[in-house]
Amino acid sequence: TPVIECQALGKTYAEGGLHTPVFDGLDLTVRQRETVAILGASGAGKSTLLHLLGGLDVPTAGEVLVAGHRMNGLSDAERGRLRNRALGFVYQFHHLLPEFTARENVMMPVLLGGAEVAEADRRATALLEAVGLGHRLGHKPGELSGGERQRAAVARALVNNPGCVLGDEPTGNLDEKTASNVFELMLSLNREQGTSLVMVTHDRRLARRLDRVLELHEGKLRELSPDEV
Ligand code: ADP
Ligand code: ADP
């Protein structure tokens, strides 16, 4: 089963008066273990697409299947559970909760999934150690560096062993060296855990490292050949 599949996907925002679609008729299949980059100019619809793939917004046409389940057919609560179990999210800004430690932030998706505190603690600690933050378990986001915060966000995205991680410019807010470290971390977790990766980026050097590069342009998604990237 593909981790994500969408068919004839379309999105038109009702606000704004013009009602022109951001895109229409998009097809996309993301297979297990596959890594996919999405390029496109500002305003092309990359974030909109990622929100639809992650069930954070609903399409105006077509449908999204996550781990074989049709998102459209689910209640909000069911969609939330599927999202928590099958997907991880990493954004440009870390979105860690400031009042909680790194370990508590990473425990949360596990607790939401219904696991015991001891189990959540064990998994959060192991994953934070795996991303090089074993010495920062008790630190709050404000006490971490930019790179450490983003690595904690990656740990949080992966702690439920999702089939796919969706990244919206996950390294876009970091300096070049730190961005490269976080990117390599995501690739190594893809290799080790088999987690698929769909990443919006404007960095073609990073995009080139992924299995497939798609470009969103004028409402169409086109696969670029390696020499076009
Ligand atoms: P990108 O991520 O490629 O920069 P977006 O998906 O953010 O593009 O935006 C695509 C288009 O949809 C833009 O024209 C943007 O102004 C519009 N848009 C995005 N979000 C909304 C919204 N909530 N309401 C109305 N229009 C929106
Ligand atoms: P990075 O390149 O990862 O963003 P920084 O230059 O911001 O790193 O930080 C360097 C080191 O200082 C890191 O190991 C980080 O843990 C530590 N550090 C940064 N800010 C704080 C803080 N407010 N409290 C404790 N340690 C910090």
Side-chain angles (χ1 to χ4, degrees), residues 12-22:
T12 305
Y13 287 108
E15 314 94 273
L18 285 173
H19 302 290
T20 47
V22 179

Side-chain angles (χ1 to χ4, degrees), residues 33-59:
R33 312 190 78 89
E34 193 171 41
T35 58
V36 179
I38 298 179
L39 298 173
S42 178
K46 305 180 297 299
S47 297
T48 299
L49 175 59
L50 220 56
H51 286 155
L52 297 184
L53 298 183
L56 299 170
D57 195 1
V58 285

Side-chain angles (χ1 to χ4, degrees), residues 34-186:
E34 193 171 41
T35 58
V36 179
I38 298 179
L39 298 173
S42 178
K46 305 180 297 299
S47 297
T48 299
L49 175 59
L50 220 56
H51 286 155
L52 297 184
L53 298 183
L56 299 170
D57 195 1
V58 285
T60 42
E63 63 178 346
V64 176
L65 287 83
V66 171
H69 301 277
R70 300 175 50 182
M71 289 281 219
N72 291 12
L74 302 178
S75 69
D76 287 350
E78 288 168 329
R79 195 177 309 119
R81 275 196 293 277
L82 177 60
R83 199 162 51 220
N84 188 58
R85 178 163 57 77
L87 300 173
F89 298 87
V90 188
Y91 304 94
Q92 184 168 1
F93 299 97
H94 55 85
H95 292 289
L96 298 168
L97 299 171
E99 299 306 315
F100 293 90
T101 65
R103 179 172 52 195
E104 289 163 346
N105 268 284
V106 177
M107 285 170 70
M108 261 168 225
V110 190
L111 294 173
L112 279 174
E116 302 286 336
V117 172
E119 166 73 2
D121 195 345
R122 191 184 63 72
R123 280 164 57 187
T125 301
L127 201 52
L128 282 164
E129 282 168 358
V131 304
L133 291 179
H135 61 311
R136 293 283 185 264
L137 299 176
H139 286 57
K140 292 179 180 173
E143 300 165 336
L144 300 174
S145 74
E148 289 177 328
R149 282 196 286 262
Q150 210 57 355
R151 280 187 277 148
V154 170
R156 183 187 49 186
L158 280 149
V159 72
N160 276 341
N161 272 319
C164 187
V165 165
L166 302 175
D168 196 347
E169 304 252 17
T171 63
N173 193 37
L174 303 172
D175 65 70
E176 197 176 334
K177 183 164 168 291
T178 312
S180 168
N181 287 340
V182 171
F183 180 77
E184 294 304 330
L185 169 69
M186 294 178 81

